[in-house]
Amino acid sequence: MYRITSINRERTSHANQRNHVAVKLRLPYEPRQRRSGAIARSAFATLAACCAMLMSSLALSENRLTVLYPEIRDPYRQIFMHMIEGIEEASSIPVIAHELARGETEQTVGELISQGSNAGVIALGKRSIDALGKQQSIPIIMGAAILKPDTSHYIGITLNPDPSQVFGLAVELQPNLKNIYVVYNPSLSDWTIQQAAKQAKALGLTLHTYPVDSMQDAAMAYRTIQESMNSDTDGLWLPIGAPSRDKSILQRILETAWAKNQMVFSSNLSDVKRGALFALYPNNFGMGKDLVRLLETASTSEIEKNHIAFSTSLNKAVNRRAAEHLGIRLTKNDLEAYEFVYPSK
């Protein structure tokens, strides 16, 4: 009595956050007025029953990938939307995106992901990860958060860019680079900095680390570093979550760097706008695809428990004025390798 003409996975919109699968059905004929009302009512009743069965089949029988992301306003919401687009692009099965409203509990999330045949869950953002609790029944991947193995129940990809790529670009722009300095909060970034030190050594660099517990200590550490930096061989790295997120501290860092011709580079796009030489930061669409690949790997092979990977799908931004000030000549071809160039003209 019916046939499927199209099945379209709709993108989640602000007005309707839980539109997942839209199914359009068309009768092979149009009811004519001369047909009795009883026949017409019977036809539509049959159609409604078929729709119900089909939707139930799509929702409960077919393998699917569930994505959890937090309820949040634009422009931050767009970060998750771009990641979900990447997930949809890489996934070979239907993707069901669920916006996690404030107040949803571990119990309600557990009920959601336990329904039907769920191939896995990708949790985006700290709130989504926290709401999962310790689900063990299906593969779970974490993303879109600052992660480290000792505080994670699952495997995932941290927002922190791969340090080897960050340091590699620093060397490309300043071939004489030997020393990299970093100030960080150990409770947030100790694992990241430990891994970064290993990767710096592999590149023939030395990472000088300054752990601090307060903004006052951070300001003193940055002052000490910049008083002794060699502008030819040293660089200052501002990773995600560093104390340099404080606007007054960042302003002093960049003003000192400009006055002393010091290279400052970052893992935050906004720092480039303010004067840092360059930044490598996550490509949200690419991270979505990487999360799917990690889920597929975890589903078919053994991965170390609580395995956390750095973001490797990255965008590049450069401050052309800072580069010129440091004597770094970037050609038109060089600039084309960057997703963002400041100033644009």
Side-chain angles (χ1 to χ4, degrees):
M1 296 299 295
Y2 68 92
R3 63 173 177 267
I4 301 175
T5 58
S6 64
I7 299 179
N8 299 317
R9 190 184 307 121
E10 297 182 356
R11 298 207 184 279
T12 307
S13 66
H14 184 71
N16 185 356
Q17 306 297 347
R18 292 178 176 81
N19 286 340
H20 304 312
V21 179
V23 179
K24 297 180 180 179
L25 302 173
R26 179 165 60 84
L27 289 169
Y29 62 89
E30 294 295 335
R32 299 177 182 174
Q33 290 184 354
R34 68 172 180 267
R35 296 180 183 273
S36 68
I39 295 176
R41 285 194 296 272
S42 176
F44 283 109
T46 302
L47 175 60
C50 291
C51 284
M53 288 189 296
L54 180 59
M55 291 302 293
S56 176
S57 174
L58 286 170
L60 298 178
S61 298
E62 186 176 7
N63 279 343
R64 70 185 189 276
L65 171 59
T66 298
V67 178
L68 303 177
Y69 67 101
E71 180 182 25
I72 193 171
R73 294 181 179 180
D74 286 332
Y76 302 106
R77 184 173 178 275
Q78 290 305 310
I79 295 174
F80 298 108
M81 294 299 99
H82 291 155
M83 288 185 183
I84 292 171
E85 290 176 2
I87 291 169
E88 291 177 333
E89 175 76 16
S91 178
S92 59
I93 59 177
V95 173
I96 306 297
H98 176 77
E99 185 176 61
L100 197 65
R102 294 185 182 277
E104 287 199 53
T105 65
E106 181 179 332
Q107 179 180 353
T108 59
V109 172
E111 292 173 353
L112 171 71
I113 65 178
S114 64
Q115 294 176 2
S117 181
N118 204 338
V121 174
I122 295 178
L124 301 178
K126 186 177 185 300
R127 183 146 40 100
S128 300
I129 295 168
D130 291 343
L132 281 171
K134 295 183 179 181
Q135 306 287 340
Q136 301 291 343
S137 57
I138 57 176
I140 293 176
I141 304 296
M142 305 179 297
I146 298 177
L147 306 171
K148 54 182 182 177
D150 58 348
T151 60
S152 303
H153 299 305
Y154 312 107
I155 64 177
I157 300 176
T158 179
L159 280 174
N160 289 295
D162 179 12
S164 65
Q165 293 190 47
V166 177
F167 300 158
L169 181 56
V171 172
E172 180 181 324
L173 294 174
Q174 179 57 280
N176 294 326
L177 184 67
K178 299 297 181 185
N179 301 293
I180 297 174
Y181 295 85
V182 61
V183 178
Y184 70 100
N185 181 340
S187 64
L188 181 67
S189 304
D190 56 346
W191 175 79
T192 296
I193 300 304
Q194 290 170 13
Q195 300 304 309
K198 296 176 183 177
Q199 296 186 19
K201 184 177 181 180
L203 293 171
L205 304 169
T206 301
L207 183 65
H208 302 268
T209 61
Y210 289 74
V212 297
D213 296 319
S214 68
M215 288 300 177
Q216 182 178 3
D217 290 343
M220 293 178 60
Y222 284 121
R223 188 178 302 114
T224 298
I225 291 168
Q226 291 191 282
E227 285 176 352
S228 61
M229 279 179 64
N230 184 320
S231 60
D232 294 326
T233 59
D234 299 347
L236 176 61
W237 174 37
L238 310 178
I240 291 178
S244 57
R245 67 183 183 277
D246 182 273
K247 290 183 179 180
S248 62
I249 290 179
L250 178 62
Q251 182 177 349
R252 287 196 295 271
I253 290 172
L254 295 176
E255 287 177 352
T256 301
W258 184 271
K260 296 189 174 185
N261 295 326
Q262 296 171 344
M263 181 173 75
V264 177
F265 54 94
S266 178
S267 299
N268 302 277
L269 173 61
S270 60
D271 291 350
V272 174
K273 297 179 181 179
R274 293 180 171 88
L277 174 60
F278 74 84
L280 260 67
Y281 57 98
N283 178 303
N284 297 319
F285 183 84
M287 174 176 275
K289 297 175 69 173
D290 292 341
L291 288 167
V292 174
R293 296 189 188 103
L294 182 58
L295 177 62
E296 292 173 346
T297 301
S299 301
T300 58
S301 61
E302 290 291 330
I303 293 183
E304 183 181 355
K305 183 180 178 181
N306 302 344
H307 169 79
I308 300 298
F310 287 110
S311 295
T312 55
S313 293
L314 304 174
N315 286 338
K316 297 193 297 184
V318 67
N319 187 306
R320 183 165 51 185
R321 184 178 293 132
E324 292 173 352
H325 183 73
L326 293 172
I328 300 171
R329 304 293 177 231
L330 296 174
T331 66
K332 182 179 180 181
N333 288 338
D334 292 333
L335 294 174
E336 288 177 351
Y338 293 83
E339 281 72 22
F340 295 95
V341 177
Y342 300 96
S344 57
K345 293 183 181 181

